[in-house]
Short mmCIF file of all heavy atoms in Angstrom, two decimals:
data_model
loop_
_atom_site.label_atom_id
_atom_site.label_comp_id
_atom_site.label_asym_id
_atom_site.label_seq_id
_atom_site.Cartn_x
_atom_site.Cartn_y
_atom_site.Cartn_z
N ILE A 18 162.74 119.53 4.36
CA ILE A 18 161.74 120.42 3.78
C ILE A 18 160.39 119.73 3.73
O ILE A 18 159.36 120.30 4.09
CB ILE A 18 162.18 120.91 2.39
CG1 ILE A 18 163.39 121.85 2.51
CG2 ILE A 18 161.03 121.61 1.66
CD1 ILE A 18 164.05 122.18 1.19
N ALA A 19 160.39 118.48 3.30
CA ALA A 19 159.13 117.71 3.24
C ALA A 19 158.54 117.55 4.64
O ALA A 19 157.32 117.65 4.81
CB ALA A 19 159.39 116.35 2.61
N LEU A 21 158.90 119.58 7.24
CA LEU A 21 158.35 120.86 7.68
C LEU A 21 157.01 121.14 7.02
O LEU A 21 156.08 121.65 7.67
CB LEU A 21 159.33 121.99 7.37
CG LEU A 21 160.56 122.08 8.25
CD1 LEU A 21 161.51 123.15 7.72
CD2 LEU A 21 160.17 122.38 9.68
N LEU A 22 156.90 120.81 5.75
CA LEU A 22 155.62 121.01 5.07
C LEU A 22 154.54 120.11 5.65
O LEU A 22 153.38 120.52 5.79
CB LEU A 22 155.78 120.78 3.57
CG LEU A 22 156.59 121.84 2.83
CD1 LEU A 22 156.86 121.39 1.40
CD2 LEU A 22 155.89 123.17 2.85
N SER A 23 154.91 118.91 6.02
CA SER A 23 153.95 117.99 6.64
C SER A 23 153.52 118.49 8.01
O SER A 23 152.35 118.39 8.38
CB SER A 23 154.56 116.60 6.78
OG SER A 23 154.87 116.07 5.52
N ALA A 24 154.45 119.05 8.75
CA ALA A 24 154.15 119.53 10.09
C ALA A 24 153.32 120.82 10.07
O ALA A 24 152.67 121.15 11.06
CB ALA A 24 155.44 119.77 10.87
N ALA A 25 153.33 121.53 8.96
CA ALA A 25 152.58 122.79 8.88
C ALA A 25 151.09 122.59 9.14
O ALA A 25 150.43 123.47 9.69
CB ALA A 25 152.80 123.44 7.51
N ALA A 26 150.56 121.45 8.79
CA ALA A 26 149.14 121.17 9.01
C ALA A 26 148.79 121.17 10.49
O ALA A 26 147.69 121.54 10.88
CB ALA A 26 148.76 119.85 8.37
N GLY A 29 147.83 124.71 11.89
CA GLY A 29 146.67 125.41 11.36
C GLY A 29 146.84 126.02 9.99
O GLY A 29 146.02 126.83 9.58
N VAL A 30 147.90 125.67 9.29
CA VAL A 30 148.07 126.18 7.93
C VAL A 30 147.05 125.47 7.04
O VAL A 30 146.92 124.24 7.08
CB VAL A 30 149.51 125.92 7.43
CG1 VAL A 30 149.68 126.40 6.00
CG2 VAL A 30 150.52 126.60 8.34
N PRO A 31 146.32 126.23 6.22
CA PRO A 31 145.31 125.60 5.37
C PRO A 31 145.92 124.57 4.41
O PRO A 31 147.03 124.76 3.91
CB PRO A 31 144.73 126.78 4.58
CG PRO A 31 145.05 127.98 5.39
CD PRO A 31 146.33 127.68 6.09
N GLN A 32 145.19 123.51 4.17
CA GLN A 32 145.67 122.42 3.32
C GLN A 32 146.01 122.90 1.91
O GLN A 32 146.99 122.45 1.33
CB GLN A 32 144.61 121.31 3.26
CG GLN A 32 145.10 120.03 2.64
CD GLN A 32 146.17 119.33 3.47
OE1 GLN A 32 146.22 119.48 4.67
NE2 GLN A 32 147.02 118.57 2.82
N THR A 33 145.22 123.83 1.39
CA THR A 33 145.49 124.32 0.04
C THR A 33 146.83 125.08 -0.01
O THR A 33 147.55 125.00 -1.00
CB THR A 33 144.36 125.24 -0.46
OG1 THR A 33 144.14 126.28 0.50
CG2 THR A 33 143.08 124.45 -0.66
N THR A 34 147.16 125.79 1.05
CA THR A 34 148.44 126.49 1.12
C THR A 34 149.59 125.50 1.18
O THR A 34 150.61 125.67 0.50
CB THR A 34 148.48 127.43 2.34
OG1 THR A 34 147.40 128.36 2.26
CG2 THR A 34 149.80 128.18 2.42
N ILE A 35 149.43 124.46 1.97
CA ILE A 35 150.47 123.43 2.09
C ILE A 35 150.69 122.76 0.74
O ILE A 35 151.83 122.54 0.32
CB ILE A 35 150.10 122.39 3.16
CG1 ILE A 35 150.07 123.05 4.55
CG2 ILE A 35 151.07 121.21 3.15
CD1 ILE A 35 149.50 122.17 5.63
N GLN A 36 149.60 122.46 0.03
CA GLN A 36 149.72 121.83 -1.28
C GLN A 36 150.42 122.75 -2.27
O GLN A 36 151.28 122.30 -3.04
CB GLN A 36 148.34 121.44 -1.81
CG GLN A 36 147.72 120.29 -1.06
CD GLN A 36 146.28 120.03 -1.48
OE1 GLN A 36 145.65 120.85 -2.13
NE2 GLN A 36 145.77 118.87 -1.09
N ALA A 37 150.09 124.03 -2.27
CA ALA A 37 150.71 124.97 -3.20
C ALA A 37 152.21 125.12 -2.90
O ALA A 37 153.03 125.11 -3.83
CB ALA A 37 150.02 126.33 -3.10
N VAL A 38 152.56 125.22 -1.64
CA VAL A 38 153.97 125.37 -1.27
C VAL A 38 154.73 124.08 -1.59
O VAL A 38 155.87 124.13 -2.08
CB VAL A 38 154.11 125.76 0.22
CG1 VAL A 38 155.55 125.72 0.67
CG2 VAL A 38 153.52 127.14 0.46
N SER A 39 154.10 122.94 -1.35
CA SER A 39 154.74 121.66 -1.67
C SER A 39 155.01 121.53 -3.16
O SER A 39 156.09 121.08 -3.57
CB SER A 39 153.86 120.49 -1.21
OG SER A 39 153.72 120.49 0.18
N GLN A 40 154.04 121.91 -3.97
CA GLN A 40 154.23 121.84 -5.41
C GLN A 40 155.31 122.81 -5.88
O GLN A 40 156.12 122.47 -6.75
CB GLN A 40 152.90 122.10 -6.12
CG GLN A 40 151.92 120.98 -5.94
CD GLN A 40 150.56 121.30 -6.53
OE1 GLN A 40 150.26 122.43 -6.88
NE2 GLN A 40 149.72 120.27 -6.64
N ALA A 41 155.34 124.00 -5.31
CA ALA A 41 156.36 124.98 -5.69
C ALA A 41 157.75 124.48 -5.28
O ALA A 41 158.71 124.59 -6.05
CB ALA A 41 156.06 126.32 -5.04
N ALA A 42 157.86 123.93 -4.07
CA ALA A 42 159.15 123.41 -3.61
C ALA A 42 159.60 122.24 -4.49
O ALA A 42 160.78 122.15 -4.85
CB ALA A 42 159.04 122.97 -2.15
N GLY A 43 158.68 121.38 -4.83
CA GLY A 43 159.01 120.26 -5.71
C GLY A 43 159.49 120.73 -7.07
O GLY A 43 160.45 120.20 -7.62
N ALA A 44 158.84 121.74 -7.60
CA ALA A 44 159.24 122.28 -8.91
C ALA A 44 160.63 122.91 -8.83
O ALA A 44 161.47 122.69 -9.70
CB ALA A 44 158.21 123.31 -9.39
N LEU A 45 160.88 123.69 -7.78
CA LEU A 45 162.20 124.33 -7.63
C LEU A 45 163.31 123.30 -7.44
O LEU A 45 164.38 123.43 -8.03
CB LEU A 45 162.17 125.31 -6.46
CG LEU A 45 161.34 126.57 -6.68
CD1 LEU A 45 161.27 127.39 -5.39
CD2 LEU A 45 161.90 127.40 -7.81
#
Side-chain angles (χ1 to χ4, degrees):
I18 291 170
L21 286 174
L22 290 171
S23 298
V30 178
Q32 191 67 27
T33 54
T34 302
I35 295 170
Q36 290 173 345
V38 172
S39 296
Q40 290 174 347
L45 290 174

